[in-house]
């Protein structure tokens, strides 16, 4: 089996355990020399659906051949994302403290009594990862961020879901709607700030 400039030789791993009898040992060669080995387990064969897909995944991860420009852009974007998340958390905390530590908002029913929750995020809980339509964003006693909401699939109330850095933007979107934040500053505000800056 080939992957770019590598040759992969596959042989049965020889495991006798019932859950590993189909494990495959993969030996990686480059320019005629062995450069490494890995084992594709029986479970992975089932998950990837074929040995070829499993070997490709291993090779892409353990023997990368990425363009250096892509890797440099990836690192810059990840650093930017981390900085943005810190600013998002600071803003979330500041807004919540200005509002007693909690903001609650339910959607207004339409003429037919139906409701549509404006922000839904994937929750991370003990018993699964439900999609939570947010109704509350709040700080606990230690200053950590949490949400309450409605499970989109069951309609049940869900509480005490922690907000991870990747979810800060959802929490901010909810606060923006719940507190009536404007997406664009009015021109009068823009010109008043210009006057302050340039002492007009």
């Amino acid at each position: 089996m080939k992957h770019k400039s590598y040759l992969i030789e596959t042989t049965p791993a020889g495991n006798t355990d019932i859950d590993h009898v189909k494990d495959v040992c993969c030996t990686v060669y480059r320019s005629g020399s062995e450069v490494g080995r890995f084992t594709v387990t029986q479970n992975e064969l089932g998950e990837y659906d074929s040995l070829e897909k499993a070997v490709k995944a291993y090779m892409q991860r353990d023997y990368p051949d990425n363009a250096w420009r892509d890797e440099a852009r990836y690192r810059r974007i990840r650093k930017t994302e981390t900085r943005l998340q810190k600013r998002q958390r600071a803003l979330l905390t500041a807004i919540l403290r200005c509002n007693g530590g909690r903001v609650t908002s339910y959607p207004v029913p339409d003429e037919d009594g139906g409701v549509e929750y404006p922000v839904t995020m994937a929750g991370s809980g003990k018993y699964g990862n439900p999609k939570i339509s947010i109704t509350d964003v709040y700080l606990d006693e230690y200053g950590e961020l949490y949400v309450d909401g409605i499970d989109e699939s069951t309609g049940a109330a869900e509480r005490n879901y922690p907000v991870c850095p990747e979810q800060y933007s959802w929490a901010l979107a909810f606060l923006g709607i719940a507190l009536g934040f404007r997406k664009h500053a009015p021109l009068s505000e823009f010109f008043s700030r210009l006057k302050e800056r340039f002492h007009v």
Side-chain angles (χ1 to χ4, degrees):
M1 192 181 304
K2 290 195 69 176
H3 177 80
K4 296 188 178 180
S5 60
Y6 296 95
L7 179 66
I8 302 97
E9 181 183 86
T10 61
T11 56
N15 293 330
T16 57
D17 186 289
I18 191 170
D19 294 324
H20 294 278
V21 291
K22 295 182 180 179
D23 289 4
V24 178
C25 178
C26 302
T27 307
V28 184
Y29 297 91
R30 190 173 191 178
S31 302
S33 299
E34 182 179 331
V35 294
R37 294 185 179 196
F38 59 87
T39 299
V40 178
T41 66
Q42 179 174 309
N43 185 55
E44 289 174 315
L45 286 171
E47 290 174 339
Y48 282 106
D49 200 34
S50 73
L51 178 60
E52 289 75 16
K53 289 179 181 178
V55 168
K56 182 179 180 181
Y58 266 92
M59 295 301 295
Q60 287 174 327
R61 180 176 61 245
D62 298 338
Y63 301 88
D65 185 23
N66 303 311
W68 70 267
R69 287 188 180 86
D70 290 342
E71 292 210 2
R73 289 174 62 197
Y74 167 81
R75 288 190 293 271
R76 284 198 302 271
I77 288 172
R78 290 304 300 268
K79 287 181 180 178
T80 301
E81 180 183 42
T82 299
R83 288 196 298 268
L84 177 59
Q85 287 171 348
K86 288 180 179 177
R87 295 174 63 187
Q88 287 175 322
R89 181 183 176 84
L91 179 57
L92 281 164
T93 302
I95 292 171
L96 288 169
R97 284 179 176 161
C98 285
N99 288 274
R102 176 186 287 263
V103 172
T104 301
S105 180
Y106 287 85
V108 178
D110 60 23
E111 294 178 354
D112 300 320
V115 294
E116 184 174 339
Y117 293 87
V119 181
T120 300
M121 71 173 234
S124 179
K126 295 180 181 178
Y127 307 107
N129 301 299
K131 290 185 177 179
I132 305 296
S133 297
I134 301 174
T135 59
D136 300 73
V137 176
Y138 56 95
L139 297 169
D140 72 359
E141 57 185 308
Y142 304 106
E144 297 299 320
L145 293 158
Y146 286 85
V147 300
D148 293 347
I150 306 298
D151 187 320
E152 192 178 60
S153 61
T154 67
E158 297 286 353
R159 292 183 171 82
N160 304 319
Y161 277 83
V163 182
C164 303
E166 297 79 11
Q167 299 167 326
Y168 290 164
S169 58
W170 285 326
L172 272 175
F174 171 81
L175 290 182
I177 294 167
L179 298 173
F181 279 21
R182 294 168 295 191
K183 292 183 179 179
H184 305 285
L187 282 177
S188 58
E189 184 178 327
F190 171 73
F191 285 122
S192 65
R193 289 187 177 182
L194 276 181
K195 289 179 180 179
E196 291 175 5
R197 182 174 180 181
F198 297 104
H199 307 290
V200 176

